[in-house]
Amino acid sequence: MKRTRTYVVLGVAFLLNSSLFVSNGWAIERDVLSFVTRKDRGRSIQLINTQGEFLQTLMVEGPIAHFTWSPDGRSIAYSSNRNGDPDIYVMDVKTDTHRRLTFDDGRDWWPSWSPNGKWIAFASNRAGEIDLYRMDANGENVKRLTNQGDCKEPAWSPDSQRIAFISKSALFVMTAEGKGVRRLADTFSTGCAWSPDGKEIAFVPRGDAVGGKALFSINRDGKNMRQLTQLYKGLVAIFEPTWSPSGKWIAYLLVQPPEKLLEGQVVLAEEFFANSVICIANTADRGGGEPIEATRRLVASLKWAPEGFLSVSPSAEKQTTLWSKLKQSEKYSKTKK
Amino acid sequence: MKKNIRSKISGFLTSEEGRVSTKAPLALGVATGSVLLAQAMVPSPAQAEIVWDFSNVTCLWNWQCDDDAGEVCAFWDFTHQPGPTIEVHSACIIPPDD
């Protein structure tokens, strides 16, 4: 009887320890965001925790436009115009090797890696209008998915069965084969992101009440719009939502265009996005949303880093440093609560 | 080369995008008078809580433009009348010489 009790105690201790290990480790995905930096003209990807501590820099043969992580965290696909027209490239994070995937004369943007690892969706004007395409992760078997033009910012559902995208100021969803295109809501070309459970899609709605100033989600059937963030006041706008793997958090770029835009002046993109900063909100209660000041004026394109990245971090030394900083930041966030 | 750029700017100004952007004459080096008019027309953020309409934004970042041709993405306020909605337009343009 006593031996049984000992085993039970040991078992419970083991389970507790396992969950602690998970909660203390990389699985706290909200701790790590990745973004293309503006300061070196898009030639590096920065990893930061939610306190704004810079954890690691991945140098790339940029300039990079948009980027997407492979689900295992081993690779990054990105769009770059370093050889002329923008094309899609893949970087092996561990070996720092780069491979070009698209070679057409058109421009290829917004790569999005399917969660099952098989495909990369992207936008291209290779046939004239900007439409969405899909290719195998090695660049083969390119398939055109849309024919309506002005299609951008593809985002895969977690089960890799559907793709959400922006076209003509509206949010659409379709199957991975480009079938069943369905219009869900009015939006802008400011990005969209699936919730990890595949039920909702985050986007920035159009409209007199909230245009550009709050993130909402909508079910993939077009029902149940839900406000995810606070409604910001003042001269700010939301871009590039990215949903954390746990579903608890959503990060986005809060942009404050210069006032001279309202004074009738033309503002170049550099200046339009100059005063932008990453914010993170709790999707359950719209809490948070405060800016991570360390990222102000730095961010061009934003994604959560996948949980698998730590295991392929480029060097043991960097890995140790990264691990250590993550542990520190976790302690910090616990004491903050 | 300079002639080509000037010709392209001229083309831009006479295009639909260019015509609307002449509401933003300062950056294009034209007269400043209409800027004052635009300032008078647009309510300040303090006067009314503004919302954005980015429906007519055709580019957001410079990488969406033709870098080889020297194009960059430019934004302007296209709002026609005082009101809480700021209608922003954007297009790839070749910036004028300084």
Side-chain angles (χ1 to χ4, degrees):
Chain A
M1 183 64 184
K2 193 173 182 181
R3 181 175 287 180
T4 308
R5 195 180 302 154
T6 305
Y7 284 140
V8 168
V9 170
L10 283 174
V12 169
F14 175 76
L15 286 172
L16 281 172
N17 192 44
S18 300
S19 65
L20 281 173
F21 175 77
V22 170
S23 66
N24 280 336
W26 187 257
I28 302 179
E29 77 294 329
R30 73 186 176 91
D31 278 344
V32 182
L33 279 158
S34 54
F35 63 87
V36 175
T37 50
R38 291 156 42 89
K39 65 180 179 183
D40 55 2
R41 300 181 64 81
R43 287 176 171 79
S44 67
I45 291 174
Q46 292 283 352
L47 298 177
I48 60 164
N49 62 22
T50 53
Q51 281 74 51
E53 287 183 299
F54 286 77
L55 304 173
Q56 194 167 327
T57 303
L58 300 174
M59 297 308 296
V60 292
E61 294 175 23
I64 281 185
H66 261 80
F67 73 104
T68 177
W69 287 88
S70 65
D72 61 7
R74 293 174 180 274
S75 306
I76 293 171
Y78 60 93
S79 173
S80 172
N81 62 355
R82 64 169 177 259
N83 288 317
D85 286 331
D87 277 298
I88 309 293
Y89 297 78
V90 165
M91 169 191 181
D92 184 304
V93 172
K94 191 169 187 178
T95 62
D96 193 26
T97 53
H98 299 249
R99 196 159 63 89
R100 186 173 170 179
L101 295 185
T102 62
F103 294 85
D104 62 288
D105 289 335
R107 295 159 172 241
D108 302 324
W109 299 291
W110 288 290
S112 177
W113 212 308
S114 64
N116 64 8
K118 288 183 181 175
W119 304 301
I120 295 172
F122 60 100
S124 177
N125 69 351
R126 60 184 62 193
E129 294 289 312
I130 301 175
D131 272 298
L132 297 186
Y133 295 77
R134 186 191 83 189
M135 61 185 169
D136 293 348
N138 62 5
E140 294 176 355
N141 298 319
V142 177
K143 175 185 171 71
R144 186 172 180 171
L145 298 177
T146 64
N147 287 288
Q148 62 191 65
D150 191 33
C151 294
K152 306 164 184 172
E153 303 172 69
W156 287 93
S157 62
D159 62 4
S160 301
Q161 298 296 306
R162 292 177 178 79
I163 298 172
F165 62 98
I166 311 289
S167 175
K168 297 173 181 167
S169 298
L171 174 67
F172 288 82
V173 69
M174 65 181 175
T175 69
E177 303 300 320
K179 308 285 185 195
V181 176
R182 178 171 183 174
R183 189 180 191 282
L184 298 183
D186 292 336
T187 185
F188 308 118
S189 293
T190 47
C192 58
W194 286 82
S195 62
D197 63 8
K199 292 179 180 171
E200 300 172 275
I201 303 164
F203 71 108
V204 180
R206 268 199 286 154
D208 290 342
V210 296
K213 300 180 79 169
L215 266 177
F216 278 67
S217 67
I218 192 167
N219 287 3
R220 68 186 191 198
D221 61 4
K223 296 175 181 170
N224 297 330
M225 266 186 68
R226 178 166 77 92
Q227 189 173 339
L228 295 178
T229 66
Q230 59 176 290
L231 177 63
Y232 284 91
K233 293 186 180 297
L235 196 64
V236 294
I238 291 179
F239 290 80
E240 300 228 10
T242 172
W243 215 314
S244 77
S246 73
K248 290 179 183 172
W249 310 95
I250 196 148
Y252 47 93
L253 202 53
L254 192 67
V255 178
Q256 185 175 355
E259 293 228 8
K260 71 182 196 181
L261 180 77
L262 304 190
E263 295 166 358
Q265 296 192 43
V266 168
V267 173
L268 301 183
E270 288 292 317
E271 200 171 358
F272 187 86
F273 287 102
N275 193 9
S276 57
V277 64
I278 293 175
C279 298
I280 300 174
N282 184 330
T283 60
D285 61 6
R286 302 177 202 166
E290 291 81 16
I292 302 174
E293 287 298 336
T295 65
R296 193 175 287 279
R297 303 176 196 278
L298 288 180
V299 185
S301 180
L302 172 67
K303 302 283 179 206
W304 289 93
E307 295 169 9
F309 172 68
L310 186 66
S311 61
V312 292
S313 186
S315 74
E317 186 186 352
K318 281 179 181 171
Q319 189 165 312
T320 307
T321 308
L322 184 57
W323 183 266
S324 162
K325 284 187 174 176
L326 280 171
K327 299 278 264 187
Q328 284 172 5
S329 66
E330 190 200 348
K331 280 179 195 165
Y332 174 79
S333 67
K334 276 179 180 169
T335 53
K336 208 177 173 187
K337 284 169 191 169
Chain B
M1 176 65 180
K2 237 176 186 178
K3 196 175 174 184
N4 285 345
I5 292 173
R6 291 198 186 284
S7 147
K8 190 142 187 178
I9 293 171
S10 172
F12 169 72
L13 290 174
T14 52
S15 68
E16 187 186 349
E17 300 285 12
R19 280 198 300 276
V20 297
S21 74
T22 53
K23 193 182 167 195
L26 255 189
L28 294 172
V30 195
T32 56
S34 58
V35 172
L36 298 173
L37 180 62
Q39 283 176 317
M41 288 169 63
V42 177
S44 73
Q47 289 172 307
E49 189 53 48
I50 64 116
V51 293
W52 300 97
D53 183 351
F54 295 122
S55 306
N56 294 290
V57 166
T58 59
C59 60
L60 282 176
W61 312 94
N62 290 340
W63 52 260
Q64 290 174 256
C65 303
D66 188 349
D67 281 3
D68 288 343
E71 286 183 348
V72 293
C73 182
F75 297 78
W76 61 92
D77 170 17
F78 190 65
T79 309
H80 292 287
Q81 55 194 15
T85 301
I86 306 298
E87 187 180 330
V88 178
H89 285 219
S90 77
C92 293
I93 65 162
I94 294 181
D97 293 339
D98 290 330

